Amino acid sequence: MPSVLCLLLFCEAMLFPLSWIISTAWQDSGVVSLLSPDGIRWFIGSHAKLLATPYIIWIILIGISAGILQGSKLTKPKKGFALQFTILVFLLQLAAIVLLTFTPHAVLLSATGRLLGSSFSAGAIPMLCFVTCTCAITYGTLDSRYTTLRQLYLAALNGISMAAPYILLYILVAQLYHSFMYILP
């Protein structure tokens, strides 16, 4: 992963002088230089706006969910009350999702009655993360893995640290993509 990140960083760094050379040598090409005043303003001013997409939130939520799931040991459950109650919680959440999605005139469907392009499809990953977290917290609490809020907090932080390389990868890929889109006509 570090070599991929270095390669992306190198490509972004090379895009600055290359865009300037191409825009200067072939002025009819329509290529915009990232070293021009407009290019520098665009790069500095729109950096955060271009990265603020649902994808970065999804990566963070998946990381938090993975950390809580890992800390709860729900991936290797022991038979007993904790597992049975967790299955009940999961089934109740699944029933709520089905009622909100698959019944006539369901709240989470689009105006045309479809799943694609609806609130359900826009919130599918956060909803999956929520279900994962609630089931893992339920199991972890009943199995005495999470006896304090601090343990739960540390598990969530562990998940964010697991997601950190992917967050960095997303930032570098998104910045390189948007830089290409800016300089090309």
Side-chain angles (χ1 to χ4, degrees):
M1 180 79 100
S3 59
V4 172
L5 297 176
C6 289
L7 178 65
L8 289 168
L9 199 56
F10 176 76
C11 289
E12 182 70 33
M14 291 307 298
L15 202 55
F16 279 85
L18 285 175
S19 68
W20 176 72
I21 291 169
I22 293 171
S23 69
T24 304
W26 296 284
Q27 293 179 356
D28 294 337
S29 68
V31 171
V32 180
S33 172
L34 284 171
L35 292 175
S36 68
D38 287 339
I40 293 171
R41 273 193 295 275
W42 172 85
F43 188 80
I44 300 296
S46 63
H47 185 73
K49 182 180 75 172
L50 295 173
L51 294 177
T53 66
Y55 305 120
I56 191 82
I57 302 302
W58 292 354
I59 294 169
I60 294 169
L61 286 176
I62 290 169
I64 291 171
S65 300
I68 292 173
L69 183 64
Q70 183 184 42
S72 72
K73 304 293 185 202
L74 183 57
T75 54
K76 299 175 186 173
K78 294 184 265 180
K79 292 181 182 178
F81 176 73
L83 181 60
Q84 292 171 348
F85 193 78
T86 302
I87 291 171
L88 176 66
V89 168
F90 173 74
L91 292 175
L92 288 173
Q93 290 178 341
L94 187 63
I97 292 168
V98 166
L99 289 173
L100 290 170
T101 333
F102 296 109
T103 58
H105 307 291
V107 175
L108 293 180
L109 293 178
S110 68
T112 60
R114 298 188 181 269
L115 282 176
L116 292 177
S118 67
S119 298
F120 174 80
S121 62
I125 291 179
M127 191 175 357
L128 181 64
C129 291
F130 177 76
V131 169
T132 302
C133 283
T134 54
C135 289
I137 291 169
T138 301
Y139 182 79
T141 303
L142 293 174
D143 198 42
S144 299
R145 303 268 182 210
Y146 297 131
T147 55
T148 64
L149 286 176
R150 178 173 168 69
Q151 291 172 325
L152 187 59
Y153 175 75
L154 291 175
L157 284 181
N158 182 45
I160 292 174
S161 69
M162 289 189 301
Y166 301 103
I167 294 170
L168 186 56
L169 178 66
Y170 168 79
I171 289 170
L172 293 175
V173 167
Q175 188 59 49
L176 184 61
Y177 169 77
H178 289 297
S179 295
F180 264 119
M181 292 291 98
Y182 178 77
I183 66 169
L184 296 177

